[in-house]
Amino acid sequence: MTAEPLHALEDPAEILSVLPERWHAQFLGEYHTALEAAHEVWQFKQLREVLHRWHLRAAAFSHQDFDRAEQAALEGRREEFVSAKDVIPGWPRGL
């Protein structure tokens, strides 16, 4: 059995290079927690999930319209955005 390679954008260094700086501390905190837990074989999946989730977040957070959409969401202006939980089956409860 061979290990399944990580997608290049699920590499933590690649995520950091795309992710706006204001999100770095949160990403690194979650990454280090998952990395530490991954020492237990049965928790390795958690590390992959954290990297995948942050890969998606980095793409969203770095988009030129993200700040405007975030403000619309915070102000409850639902006509200006579509929530991920409304369009992505199984989307996690929080962002």
Side-chain angles (χ1 to χ4, degrees):
M1 175 184 262
T2 60
E4 184 178 327
L6 290 174
H7 185 280
L9 290 178
E10 291 180 2
D11 175 314
E14 291 296 322
I15 291 170
L16 275 175
S17 74
V18 173
L19 194 63
E21 189 172 340
R22 72 178 176 133
W23 299 99
H24 285 195
Q26 184 178 346
F27 165 68
L28 289 170
E30 290 182 27
Y31 168 69
H32 287 144
T33 297
L35 184 61
E36 183 65 31
H39 289 290
E40 298 296 333
V41 175
W42 54 275
Q43 289 191 335
F44 180 73
K45 183 178 178 183
Q46 177 185 354
L47 176 59
R48 301 230 19 192
E49 290 171 355
V50 165
L51 289 172
H52 180 69
R53 197 167 39 247
W54 276 100
H55 160 73
L56 296 174
R57 289 175 177 169
F61 295 170
S62 64
H63 189 277
Q64 65 184 10
D65 293 328
F66 177 78
D67 290 336
R68 183 190 54 76
E70 180 185 37
Q71 193 60 40
L74 291 171
E75 293 174 3
R77 299 188 321 255
R78 291 191 53 86
E79 68 280 357
E80 294 184 38
F81 71 95
V82 176
S83 172
K85 70 180 182 178
D86 293 340
V87 295
I88 303 172
W91 184 257
R93 289 183 295 269
L95 182 66

